[in-house]
Amino acid sequence: MATHQVHRVGAVCAIAGTVIAGISNSMHPPLTDPSGIIRNAADTTNWVTIHWGLIIGIVVMQLGFYAVIETLRQLEDSTTIGSYGLWAMHALTVGLVLWISVFAAEIALKPLADAVKVDQSNQAGALALASLADTTATAAICVYFLGITLLGLAILVTGRHPRWIGIIGMTVGVVLTLSVGVRKAFLGASPWTEGIPFQTLVVLFWMWTVVLAVHLWHNSSRPEDVFRRNETGTF
């Protein structure tokens, strides 16, 4: 696929995925502990639709990130750059699988949560599934946003895209990985990892994704030699 086509496909996927995931996330009940997840699943009529929206959104958005990585790997002198991009792609892929597993588990939780309202004997099974989803979500945050950090690093060192976009991506990725994922893994859930601070960081991540997508679309009409000149450019 030609470079300009990769830019356009990546831009459309990144924006479409962000919009779908953002709308679905806005409909999601507040994050809580496993017992609260069961209550939320039972009380939310569109629970399954929300989580299918999250799956579709994050998958489509991921295609946009793959397109970005592909544009970085097209550089002639790409040994180091290609390594960063390859690591980012692997981490993002593993993170995507973990996120899909989380959302699939929460979809499967819905009938169990409904059954708990009728018969408390189903509580143990529902709690086990909710706990599994919560633990997997912590791992997903760590791995996925490590991938975003590596993607930001790859963008930073190439010069093919504005380096400030790479810096912002690295910053958002590091903060989410350490202050949310690692913190929750070692210290447990807290208002920071479940409440407004986490949601604010996620919104910042989506805003960065949209900025990256807009830049990709803008680049789709630029000649290839412009990118070559930018490889030795500045901010």
Side-chain angles (χ1 to χ4, degrees):
M1 184 181 292
T3 301
H4 73 279
Q5 292 176 319
V6 173
H7 279 91
R8 288 178 180 176
V9 170
V12 171
C13 288
I15 291 179
T18 300
V19 170
I20 295 170
I23 292 174
S24 299
N25 187 71
S26 68
M27 298 167 62
H28 196 286
L31 299 179
T32 182
D33 58 17
S35 297
I37 294 175
I38 296 173
R39 291 193 298 271
N40 287 339
D43 295 338
T44 306
T45 55
N46 57 347
W47 179 265
V48 173
T49 302
I50 290 171
H51 287 83
W52 272 115
L54 289 169
I55 290 174
I56 294 171
I58 196 171
V59 169
V60 174
M61 185 168 58
Q62 186 94 329
L63 296 176
F65 292 141
Y66 287 156
V68 175
I69 294 170
E70 180 61 25
T71 65
L72 302 181
R73 296 177 66 192
Q74 289 172 355
L75 299 175
E76 292 176 357
D77 183 16
S78 60
T79 302
T80 301
I81 296 167
S83 297
Y84 291 142
L86 191 61
W87 295 341
M89 183 173 66
H90 290 333
L92 286 170
T93 300
V94 174
L96 176 66
V97 171
L98 290 171
W99 277 124
I100 291 175
S101 299
V102 171
F103 300 142
E106 293 189 339
I107 289 173
L109 179 64
K110 175 61 175 175
L112 278 175
D114 290 340
V116 168
K117 296 178 69 174
V118 178
D119 183 359
Q120 288 295 316
S121 65
N122 296 295
Q123 179 75 23
L127 188 59
L129 187 57
S131 298
L132 176 63
D134 186 60
T135 302
T136 307
T138 302
I141 292 172
C142 292
V143 176
Y144 187 82
F145 288 106
L146 173 61
I148 295 298
T149 302
L150 291 170
L151 177 58
L153 178 60
I155 293 172
L156 175 63
V157 300
T158 61
R160 181 151 198 161
H161 304 291
R163 289 183 169 87
W164 61 267
I165 293 181
I167 292 174
I168 294 175
M170 285 181 59
T171 302
V172 172
V174 167
V175 172
L176 276 162
T177 301
L178 297 179
S179 72
V180 179
V182 174
R183 177 176 178 171
K184 184 176 180 180
F186 287 96
L187 301 178
S190 69
W192 178 273
T193 62
E194 309 294 315
I196 293 177
F198 172 54
Q199 294 296 335
T200 301
L201 289 171
V202 171
V203 171
L204 289 175
F205 162 65
W206 285 336
M207 291 173 63
W208 172 77
T209 303
V210 171
V211 170
L212 179 58
V214 170
H215 178 72
L216 282 174
W217 185 268
H218 175 71
N219 277 357
S220 66
S221 59
R222 299 172 69 186
E224 184 64 20
D225 62 340
V226 172
F227 297 120
R228 300 300 177 188
R229 292 197 299 269
N230 285 347
E231 290 171 29
T232 57
T234 59
F235 289 83

